[in-house]
Amino acid sequence: MINKNNSFLIILSAPSGGGKSTILREVLKLRDNIDYSISYTTRAPRGAEENGVHYHFVSEAEFLAKLEAQDFLEYAKVFEKYWYGTSLSYTRSRLAKSRHVIMDIDVQGAAQIAAAGKVPCVRIFIIPPNMEELKRRLVLRGEDSDEDIARRLATAKKELDYIPEYDYLVINDELEDAVSDVLAIIRAEELKTSGNQEAQQDFLQ
Ligand code: 5GP
């Protein structure tokens, strides 16, 4: 049981290729009270990515119009190249229905949400066991040019400095273990006394 008002954002960040989309997919399969926030981006679809499923792929003009309309909970330019942003209206609508919202966003976006302090959130950073493995996964994915892989690895090194700002660190060595770690974190957040005042009142009645 959880308090019906105890919904929060689940922010996952990881270096590109860190395996967070796979973890996210598994978590969504295993929990039915979580919705995925599909980000807006100005980058082009990669591989089998579909518009409206993996991302809302938009032009720079469309992205800036949404920004002007103040419909981003957070947004950032990632890899000094493309815009990425989280829809404010979508997030609000899901939280209002007492559902958690899980999102895969970069360190700048996670910092913006935490600094604004408007919505309860738990921030989880995911890393592969080492940098070599990260490079191996990016190459294996076969979706990026050599130049993009180099940019992603350079960004990954900088992102590691942000780990202390996160609530939790999950090492994605074995997928199954990483998924159960993320589920355990979510469950622990749900059981926090601060989000369960109604249950405490019910007990007293
Ligand atoms: P990719 O291009 O590999 O899908 O994502 C690149 C980076 O952008 C990843 O670190 C991912 O977490 C981040 N990202 C994806 N969506 C968003 C978003 O809505 N906001 C922010 N700030 N970062 C995002």
Side-chain angles (χ1 to χ4, degrees), residues 105-190:
I105 65 177
D106 87 318
V107 293
Q108 307 171 71
Q112 280 175 39
I113 294 176
K118 287 189 191 144
V119 193
C121 66
V122 56
R123 284 170 295 165
I124 308 171
F125 203 93
I126 299 168
I127 47 173
N130 54 58
M131 211 64 179
E132 251 333 282
E133 176 62 16
L134 179 63
K135 187 171 178 191
R136 197 186 67 83
R137 289 183 193 177
L138 279 172
V139 173
L140 201 70
R141 188 162 82 176
E143 290 174 347
D144 304 285
S145 64
D146 288 352
E147 189 201 328
D148 267 336
I149 290 180
R151 193 182 291 119
R152 282 167 193 277
L153 286 172
T155 303
K157 279 195 190 126
K158 287 190 214 144
E159 284 176 342
L160 299 185
D161 292 342
Y162 286 80
I163 291 177
E165 292 182 17
Y166 282 71
D167 301 304
Y168 297 95
L169 178 66
V170 169
I171 313 287
N172 180 19
D173 193 357
E174 292 297 327
L175 176 67
E176 223 173 279
D177 294 340
V179 170
S180 44
D181 285 347
V182 171
L183 290 173
I185 293 165
I186 294 170
R187 189 62 188 143
E189 286 296 305
E190 287 177 342

XYZ file of all heavy atoms in Angstrom, residues 105-190:
677
model
N 17.103 11.561 -18.006
C 17.572 12.908 -18.371
C 19.026 13.105 -17.941
O 19.546 12.360 -17.116
C 16.668 14.013 -17.770
C 16.717 14.020 -16.250
C 15.238 13.868 -18.260
C 15.905 15.142 -15.628
N 19.667 14.119 -18.495
C 21.088 14.310 -18.215
C 21.286 15.054 -16.884
O 20.322 15.462 -16.229
C 21.768 15.042 -19.387
C 21.665 16.538 -19.250
O 20.585 17.036 -18.866
O 22.670 17.233 -19.497
N 22.550 15.228 -16.514
C 22.870 15.804 -15.204
C 22.380 17.252 -15.068
O 21.989 17.669 -13.976
C 24.387 15.721 -14.936
C 24.836 14.277 -14.784
C 25.204 16.409 -16.029
N 22.372 18.006 -16.180
C 21.908 19.397 -16.103
C 20.415 19.443 -15.774
O 19.972 20.238 -14.936
C 22.110 20.106 -17.442
C 23.518 20.035 -18.000
C 23.551 20.570 -19.437
O 23.402 21.753 -19.655
N 23.717 19.678 -20.404
N 19.645 18.576 -16.427
C 18.196 18.542 -16.210
C 17.875 18.101 -14.784
O 16.996 18.677 -14.124
N 18.581 17.086 -14.304
C 18.344 16.584 -12.944
C 18.639 17.688 -11.930
O 17.890 17.879 -10.961
C 19.227 15.364 -12.690
N 19.705 18.444 -12.173
C 20.076 19.529 -11.254
C 19.004 20.631 -11.271
O 18.653 21.175 -10.224
C 21.435 20.105 -11.642
N 18.452 20.923 -12.450
C 17.401 21.960 -12.540
C 16.171 21.574 -11.720
O 15.621 22.391 -11.001
C 16.937 22.129 -13.993
C 17.839 22.979 -14.861
C 17.336 22.966 -16.315
O 16.145 22.990 -16.598
N 18.262 22.916 -17.241
N 15.755 20.307 -11.845
C 14.545 19.865 -11.130
C 14.773 19.916 -9.619
O 13.939 20.408 -8.865
C 14.135 18.441 -11.575
C 13.695 18.475 -13.038
C 13.016 17.892 -10.702
C 13.354 17.130 -13.637
N 15.955 19.452 -9.201
C 16.245 19.446 -7.767
C 16.333 20.879 -7.236
O 15.808 21.182 -6.159
C 17.545 18.698 -7.507
N 16.957 21.779 -8.006
C 17.120 23.159 -7.538
C 15.767 23.858 -7.440
O 15.528 24.634 -6.517
C 18.045 23.921 -8.478
N 14.860 23.552 -8.372
C 13.540 24.191 -8.341
C 12.753 23.697 -7.122
O 11.968 24.435 -6.531
C 12.792 23.898 -9.633
N 12.992 22.438 -6.744
C 12.373 21.879 -5.542
C 10.845 21.862 -5.553
O 10.225 21.831 -4.505
N 10.249 21.892 -6.735
C 8.776 21.982 -6.797
C 8.109 20.619 -6.698
O 6.974 20.518 -6.269
C 8.360 22.625 -8.132
C 8.650 24.106 -8.173
C 8.014 24.710 -9.417
C 8.512 26.118 -9.629
N 8.692 26.462 -11.030
N 8.816 19.593 -7.161
C 8.218 18.255 -7.224
C 9.115 17.283 -6.479
O 10.333 17.313 -6.658
C 8.129 17.789 -8.706
C 7.240 16.585 -8.835
C 7.669 18.909 -9.607
N 8.530 16.405 -5.654
C 9.369 15.405 -4.998
C 10.038 14.503 -6.037
O 9.390 14.103 -7.010
C 8.406 14.598 -4.122
C 7.049 15.100 -4.384
C 7.104 16.254 -5.341
N 11.303 14.235 -5.839
C 11.982 13.384 -6.820
C 13.068 12.558 -6.159
O 13.587 12.920 -5.105
C 12.578 14.233 -7.948
S 13.894 15.318 -7.434
N 13.373 11.427 -6.790
C 14.521 10.630 -6.354
C 15.446 10.546 -7.552
O 15.018 10.286 -8.674
C 14.100 9.238 -5.809
C 13.296 8.442 -6.809
C 15.323 8.443 -5.370
N 16.715 10.836 -7.314
C 17.687 10.877 -8.422
C 18.631 9.681 -8.337
O 19.270 9.466 -7.308
C 18.484 12.172 -8.358
C 17.700 13.369 -8.854
C 18.421 14.655 -8.566
N 18.526 14.901 -7.142
C 19.340 15.783 -6.591
N 20.153 16.492 -7.330
N 19.362 15.950 -5.286
N 18.684 8.931 -9.409
C 19.494 7.699 -9.442
C 20.508 7.814 -10.579
O 20.122 8.084 -11.722
C 18.595 6.463 -9.672
C 17.449 6.431 -8.660
C 19.415 5.176 -9.632
C 16.388 5.354 -8.938
N 21.769 7.608 -10.265
C 22.808 7.633 -11.305
C 23.232 6.195 -11.587
O 23.449 5.407 -10.665
C 24.010 8.456 -10.830
C 24.827 8.992 -11.971
C 24.591 10.259 -12.480
C 25.838 8.227 -12.548
C 25.332 10.754 -13.556
C 26.579 8.700 -13.620
C 26.328 9.981 -14.129
N 23.320 5.861 -12.862
C 23.665 4.485 -13.248
C 24.975 4.507 -14.028
O 25.137 5.313 -14.949
C 22.554 3.886 -14.140
C 21.242 3.845 -13.346
C 22.918 2.488 -14.630
C 20.025 3.561 -14.189
N 25.904 3.636 -13.642
C 27.155 3.540 -14.419
C 27.488 2.078 -14.718
O 27.174 1.190 -13.926
C 28.380 4.174 -13.687
C 28.453 3.718 -12.222
C 28.380 5.674 -13.788
C 29.732 4.168 -11.510
N 28.138 1.846 -15.836
C 28.669 0.491 -16.075
C 29.861 0.288 -15.143
O 30.331 1.250 -14.530
C 29.110 0.521 -17.534
C 28.921 1.908 -18.009
C 28.467 2.779 -16.899
N 30.368 -0.951 -15.030
C 31.454 -1.199 -14.071
C 32.721 -0.376 -14.335
O 33.440 -0.054 -13.409
C 31.749 -2.693 -14.206
C 30.779 -3.240 -15.172
C 29.894 -2.165 -15.690
N 33.004 -0.022 -15.578
C 34.185 0.800 -15.861
C 34.067 1.462 -17.237
O 33.183 1.136 -18.019
C 35.477 -0.039 -15.764
C 35.386 -1.261 -16.655
O 35.183 -1.144 -17.864
N 35.497 -2.442 -16.060
N 34.997 2.375 -17.497
C 34.963 3.186 -18.720
C 35.147 2.328 -19.979
O 34.526 2.583 -21.004
C 36.098 4.216 -18.613
C 35.834 5.493 -19.300
S 34.429 6.375 -18.570
C 34.414 7.800 -19.553
N 35.995 1.304 -19.866
C 36.236 0.392 -21.002
C 34.930 -0.245 -21.456
O 34.640 -0.368 -22.641
C 37.207 -0.717 -20.558
C 38.608 -0.673 -21.136
C 38.734 -0.005 -22.504
O 38.382 -0.676 -23.483
O 39.176 1.157 -22.584
N 34.160 -0.680 -20.438
C 32.882 -1.344 -20.718
C 31.913 -0.366 -21.379
O 31.170 -0.740 -22.292
C 32.315 -1.899 -19.394
C 30.940 -2.531 -19.490
C 30.871 -3.761 -20.405
O 31.936 -4.319 -20.749
O 29.740 -4.145 -20.788
N 31.952 0.879 -20.937
C 31.072 1.893 -21.540
C 31.409 2.049 -23.027
O 30.524 2.061 -23.890
C 31.231 3.234 -20.815
C 30.399 4.380 -21.364
C 28.908 4.073 -21.226
C 30.710 5.693 -20.642
N 32.703 2.140 -23.316
C 33.136 2.291 -24.707
C 32.705 1.064 -25.525
O 32.184 1.188 -26.631
C 34.660 2.456 -24.750
C 35.165 2.780 -26.118
C 36.622 3.161 -26.090
C 37.081 3.434 -27.516
N 38.504 3.567 -27.628
N 32.892 -0.115 -24.922
C 32.537 -1.350 -25.616
C 31.046 -1.360 -25.972
O 30.647 -1.700 -27.075
C 32.867 -2.552 -24.707
C 32.943 -3.891 -25.423
C 33.116 -5.049 -24.446
N 31.941 -5.247 -23.600
C 30.849 -5.926 -23.954
N 30.788 -6.487 -25.140
N 29.829 -6.037 -23.129
N 30.204 -0.905 -25.001
C 28.756 -0.911 -25.238
C 28.366 0.088 -26.328
O 27.467 -0.177 -27.127
C 27.998 -0.582 -23.944
C 28.061 -1.728 -22.935
C 27.263 -1.428 -21.690
N 27.576 -2.381 -20.621
C 27.062 -2.328 -19.397
N 26.219 -1.384 -19.075
N 27.391 -3.228 -18.493
N 29.039 1.230 -26.353
C 28.724 2.241 -27.376
C 29.098 1.738 -28.767
O 28.346 1.916 -29.725
C 29.479 3.550 -27.090
C 28.869 4.468 -26.035
C 29.807 5.623 -25.716
C 27.519 5.011 -26.487
N 30.256 1.097 -28.859
C 30.714 0.572 -30.161
C 29.774 -0.549 -30.618
O 29.334 -0.592 -31.763
C 32.180 0.088 -30.067
C 32.601 -0.619 -31.346
C 33.115 1.263 -29.771
N 29.425 -1.430 -29.663
C 28.559 -2.577 -29.952
C 27.186 -2.118 -30.443
O 26.581 -2.731 -31.327
C 28.392 -3.388 -28.662
C 27.976 -4.837 -28.782
C 29.139 -5.632 -29.373
C 27.627 -5.409 -27.406
N 26.705 -1.018 -29.885
C 25.394 -0.493 -30.257
C 25.357 -0.126 -31.743
O 24.328 -0.221 -32.393
C 25.112 0.742 -29.380
C 23.743 1.307 -29.484
C 23.429 2.194 -28.309
N 23.973 3.546 -28.490
C 23.781 4.556 -27.655
N 23.097 4.369 -26.554
N 24.288 5.742 -27.886
N 26.513 0.290 -32.235
C 26.668 0.542 -33.669
C 25.770 1.622 -34.239
O 25.449 1.611 -35.423
N 25.340 2.560 -33.393
C 24.401 3.583 -33.872
C 25.052 4.951 -34.029
O 24.452 5.874 -34.555
C 23.229 3.718 -32.892
C 22.302 2.521 -32.903
C 21.235 2.607 -31.824
O 21.351 3.453 -30.914
O 20.283 1.819 -31.882
N 26.277 5.103 -33.519
C 26.908 6.421 -33.512
C 28.178 6.424 -34.353
O 28.866 5.409 -34.455
C 27.279 6.814 -32.068
C 26.084 6.786 -31.149
O 25.265 7.699 -31.223
O 25.962 5.807 -30.369
N 28.475 7.585 -34.909
C 29.724 7.726 -35.651
C 30.882 7.734 -34.642
O 30.667 7.929 -33.440
C 29.714 9.049 -36.409
O 29.674 10.116 -35.479
N 32.109 7.552 -35.138
C 33.283 7.590 -34.249
C 33.343 8.925 -33.513
O 33.676 8.994 -32.330
C 34.577 7.408 -35.059
C 34.707 5.970 -35.548
O 33.882 5.130 -35.127
O 35.623 5.704 -36.357
N 32.986 9.972 -34.257
C 33.035 11.314 -33.658
C 32.015 11.421 -32.519
O 32.309 11.954 -31.441
C 32.697 12.331 -34.762
C 32.904 13.778 -34.373
C 32.090 14.710 -35.277
O 31.899 14.352 -36.462
O 31.634 15.751 -34.791
N 30.806 10.873 -32.736
C 29.768 10.905 -31.701
C 30.185 10.075 -30.489
O 29.965 10.473 -29.346
C 28.433 10.377 -32.250
C 27.565 11.505 -32.785
O 27.768 12.656 -32.338
O 26.719 11.246 -33.654
N 30.814 8.925 -30.735
C 31.243 8.075 -29.614
C 32.279 8.826 -28.780
O 32.208 8.850 -27.545
C 31.806 6.721 -30.125
C 30.645 5.883 -30.689
C 32.529 5.959 -29.012
C 31.029 4.528 -31.226
N 33.209 9.496 -29.464
C 34.234 10.249 -28.739
C 33.587 11.358 -27.912
O 33.945 11.572 -26.745
C 35.238 10.835 -29.729
N 32.572 12.017 -28.487
C 31.894 13.098 -27.765
C 31.140 12.541 -26.554
O 31.153 13.104 -25.472
C 30.929 13.828 -28.708
C 30.441 15.131 -28.125
C 29.446 15.849 -29.013
N 30.029 16.367 -30.230
C 29.646 15.989 -31.455
N 28.689 15.122 -31.612
N 30.211 16.506 -32.518
N 30.491 11.387 -26.748
C 29.729 10.776 -25.658
C 30.655 10.335 -24.521
O 30.324 10.480 -23.348
C 28.911 9.583 -26.184
C 27.655 10.031 -26.910
C 26.983 8.926 -27.700
N 25.980 9.464 -28.599
C 24.732 9.776 -28.256
N 24.321 9.568 -27.035
N 23.893 10.284 -29.128
N 31.847 9.811 -24.870
C 32.784 9.375 -23.824
C 33.344 10.579 -23.054
O 33.492 10.538 -21.830
C 33.931 8.560 -24.432
C 33.547 7.139 -24.871
C 34.691 6.477 -25.639
C 33.156 6.272 -23.666
N 33.622 11.655 -23.789
C 34.138 12.863 -23.133
C 33.080 13.445 -22.189
O 33.390 13.831 -21.051
C 34.535 13.894 -24.181
N 31.810 13.436 -22.641
C 30.719 13.937 -21.793
C 30.580 13.043 -20.561
O 30.387 13.528 -19.447
C 29.384 13.964 -22.587
O 29.579 14.761 -23.745
C 28.249 14.542 -21.765
N 30.697 11.720 -20.759
C 30.547 10.773 -19.648
C 31.549 11.094 -18.533
O 31.197 11.109 -17.355
C 30.754 9.344 -20.142
N 32.789 11.392 -18.916
C 33.823 11.675 -17.899
C 33.433 12.893 -17.068
O 33.585 12.900 -15.853
C 35.166 11.926 -18.586
C 35.853 10.635 -18.949
C 37.320 10.844 -19.286
C 37.892 9.568 -19.890
N 38.524 9.767 -21.185
N 32.886 13.912 -17.741
C 32.477 15.140 -17.024
C 31.271 14.861 -16.123
O 31.160 15.398 -15.034
C 32.114 16.247 -18.023
C 33.313 16.850 -18.711
C 32.881 18.095 -19.486
C 33.690 18.242 -20.753
N 32.928 18.767 -21.873
N 30.363 13.994 -16.618
C 29.126 13.733 -15.863
C 29.392 13.039 -14.527
O 28.635 13.203 -13.584
C 28.182 12.861 -16.704
C 27.489 13.646 -17.800
C 26.625 12.765 -18.692
O 26.806 11.532 -18.700
O 25.765 13.314 -19.372
N 30.491 12.267 -14.471
C 30.784 11.529 -13.241
C 30.966 12.476 -12.050
O 30.700 12.114 -10.910
C 32.038 10.663 -13.404
C 31.959 9.593 -14.496
C 33.205 8.718 -14.482
C 30.727 8.702 -14.332
N 31.385 13.714 -12.318
C 31.559 14.701 -11.244
C 30.251 15.017 -10.533
O 30.242 15.536 -9.426
C 32.097 16.028 -11.816
C 33.525 15.875 -12.318
O 34.177 14.892 -11.921
O 33.967 16.734 -13.110
N 29.130 14.741 -11.214
C 27.822 15.081 -10.639
C 27.266 13.983 -9.725
O 26.226 14.171 -9.108
C 26.794 15.334 -11.762
C 26.982 16.648 -12.477
C 27.947 16.793 -13.464
C 26.193 17.751 -12.166
C 28.121 17.989 -14.131
C 26.351 18.948 -12.822
C 27.317 19.066 -13.809
O 27.478 20.256 -14.465
N 27.938 12.834 -9.677
C 27.383 11.701 -8.913
C 27.020 12.088 -7.466
O 25.948 11.725 -6.993
C 28.327 10.471 -8.953
C 28.339 9.905 -10.376
C 27.890 9.401 -7.964
C 29.285 8.722 -10.586
N 27.866 12.867 -6.749
C 27.508 13.189 -5.365
C 26.187 13.949 -5.209
O 25.609 13.973 -4.127
C 28.680 14.057 -4.888
C 29.803 13.735 -5.811
C 29.192 13.373 -7.121
N 25.707 14.558 -6.295
C 24.430 15.284 -6.204
C 23.230 14.339 -6.275
O 22.109 14.744 -6.044
C 24.320 16.297 -7.345
C 25.315 17.425 -7.192
C 25.186 18.460 -8.279
O 24.140 18.496 -8.958
O 26.149 19.213 -8.443
N 23.482 13.080 -6.633
C 22.377 12.115 -6.776
C 22.110 11.421 -5.441
O 22.978 11.368 -4.574
C 22.717 11.097 -7.873
C 22.496 11.688 -9.256
C 23.343 12.673 -9.752
C 21.407 11.308 -10.020
C 23.119 13.246 -10.992
C 21.179 11.877 -11.264
C 22.038 12.849 -11.749
O 21.800 13.424 -12.963
N 20.892 10.881 -5.307
C 20.542 10.175 -4.070
C 21.135 8.769 -4.050
O 21.476 8.249 -2.997
C 19.019 10.075 -3.951
C 18.369 11.450 -3.953
O 18.745 12.267 -3.100
O 17.520 11.714 -4.831
N 21.217 8.145 -5.223
C 21.669 6.748 -5.293
C 22.574 6.503 -6.492
O 22.409 7.149 -7.535
C 20.463 5.802 -5.425
C 19.536 5.839 -4.244
C 18.405 6.661 -4.247
C 19.792 5.062 -3.115
C 17.559 6.703 -3.153
C 18.941 5.094 -2.022
C 17.830 5.921 -2.047
O 16.994 5.960 -0.965
N 23.477 5.549 -6.332
C 24.338 5.114 -7.441
C 24.107 3.622 -7.672
O 24.197 2.818 -6.733
C 25.812 5.357 -7.083
C 26.828 4.899 -8.136
C 26.697 5.732 -9.413
C 28.250 5.021 -7.602
N 23.779 3.264 -8.904
C 23.560 1.849 -9.235
C 24.609 1.445 -10.264
O 24.795 2.122 -11.275
C 22.127 1.647 -9.804
C 21.961 0.262 -10.408
C 21.089 1.868 -8.711
N 25.302 0.333 -10.003
C 26.284 -0.163 -10.959
C 25.589 -1.175 -11.864
O 25.066 -2.179 -11.384
C 27.484 -0.876 -10.261
C 28.034 -0.046 -9.092
C 28.580 -1.236 -11.276
C 28.813 1.171 -9.457
N 25.581 -0.877 -13.143
C 24.916 -1.783 -14.085
C 25.928 -2.769 -14.665
O 26.427 -2.578 -15.767
C 24.241 -0.976 -15.195
C 23.532 -1.871 -16.194
O 23.247 -3.022 -15.897
N 23.258 -1.339 -17.367
N 26.198 -3.816 -13.878
C 27.076 -4.892 -14.352
C 26.163 -5.976 -14.896
O 26.090 -6.231 -16.091
C 27.947 -5.367 -13.191
C 29.081 -6.250 -13.663
O 29.141 -6.529 -14.879
O 29.903 -6.681 -12.833
N 25.388 -6.605 -13.986
C 24.360 -7.571 -14.398
C 23.025 -6.836 -14.431
O 22.616 -6.240 -13.418
C 24.279 -8.720 -13.388
C 25.499 -9.617 -13.365
C 25.720 -10.335 -14.690
O 24.712 -10.652 -15.369
O 26.891 -10.547 -15.058
N 22.343 -6.885 -15.577
C 21.094 -6.145 -15.753
C 20.076 -6.438 -14.645
O 19.491 -5.531 -14.062
C 20.492 -6.463 -17.134
C 19.130 -5.815 -17.400
C 19.246 -4.306 -17.483
C 18.517 -6.369 -18.685
N 19.912 -7.743 -14.354
C 18.905 -8.138 -13.368
C 19.150 -7.483 -12.006
O 18.225 -7.033 -11.337
C 18.976 -9.661 -13.206
C 17.636 -10.338 -13.139
C 17.820 -11.837 -13.158
O 18.002 -12.399 -14.263
O 17.823 -12.436 -12.077
N 20.419 -7.436 -11.612
C 20.758 -6.829 -10.308
C 20.474 -5.331 -10.332
O 19.950 -4.769 -9.364
C 22.249 -7.025 -9.986
C 22.576 -8.499 -9.781
O 21.635 -9.275 -9.522
O 23.767 -8.866 -9.894
N 20.824 -4.696 -11.448
C 20.610 -3.242 -11.546
C 19.115 -2.930 -11.481
O 18.698 -1.983 -10.814
C 21.227 -2.705 -12.831
N 18.305 -3.761 -12.147
C 16.854 -3.539 -12.135
C 16.322 -3.722 -10.716
O 15.551 -2.894 -10.214
C 16.131 -4.498 -13.114
C 14.626 -4.445 -12.944
C 16.513 -4.154 -14.554
N 16.764 -4.770 -10.016
C 16.222 -4.929 -8.661
C 16.717 -3.825 -7.730
O 15.995 -3.427 -6.818
C 16.414 -6.325 -8.071
O 17.679 -6.775 -8.317
N 17.901 -3.296 -7.981
C 18.356 -2.151 -7.169
C 17.433 -0.944 -7.376
O 17.027 -0.293 -6.415
C 19.792 -1.753 -7.556
C 20.833 -2.732 -7.016
O 20.477 -3.565 -6.153
O 21.996 -2.663 -7.464
N 17.092 -0.678 -8.634
C 16.231 0.492 -8.911
C 14.841 0.266 -8.293
O 14.265 1.170 -7.683
C 16.142 0.764 -10.431
C 15.093 1.826 -10.743
C 17.502 1.213 -10.971
N 14.317 -0.968 -8.400
C 13.005 -1.254 -7.802
C 13.038 -1.080 -6.285
O 12.097 -0.562 -5.682
C 12.563 -2.682 -8.150
C 12.192 -2.916 -9.618
C 11.943 -4.406 -9.874
C 10.951 -2.116 -10.006
N 14.149 -1.483 -5.677
C 14.281 -1.355 -4.212
C 14.294 0.122 -3.804
O 13.682 0.513 -2.809
C 15.558 -2.053 -3.741
N 14.961 0.930 -4.607
C 15.015 2.375 -4.315
C 13.610 2.978 -4.398
O 13.184 3.731 -3.520
C 15.974 3.092 -5.306
C 17.415 2.641 -5.066
C 15.841 4.599 -5.193
C 18.384 3.000 -6.192
N 12.876 2.601 -5.450
C 11.526 3.148 -5.635
C 10.638 2.749 -4.459
O 9.906 3.562 -3.892
C 10.919 2.663 -6.974
C 11.717 3.239 -8.145
C 9.447 3.058 -7.087
C 11.368 2.652 -9.510
N 10.750 1.482 -4.079
C 9.918 0.998 -2.960
C 10.254 1.744 -1.671
O 9.369 2.131 -0.906
C 10.109 -0.519 -2.797
C 9.154 -1.147 -1.831
C 7.698 -0.993 -2.283
N 6.757 -1.433 -1.265
C 5.593 -0.839 -1.022
N 5.210 0.226 -1.717
N 4.779 -1.305 -0.103
N 11.540 1.929 -1.434
C 11.957 2.633 -0.215
C 11.409 4.064 -0.212
O 10.942 4.559 0.815
C 13.478 2.640 -0.115
N 11.432 4.713 -1.372
C 10.890 6.079 -1.475
C 9.401 6.090 -1.166
O 8.894 6.983 -0.502
C 11.112 6.646 -2.882
C 12.537 7.039 -3.172
C 13.048 8.175 -2.301
O 12.424 9.245 -2.266
O 14.100 7.980 -1.651
N 8.685 5.064 -1.671
C 7.245 5.005 -1.438
C 6.917 4.863 0.046
O 5.875 5.303 0.504
C 6.641 3.808 -2.192
C 6.570 4.009 -3.693
C 6.042 2.794 -4.441
O 6.035 1.678 -3.882
O 5.643 2.951 -5.601
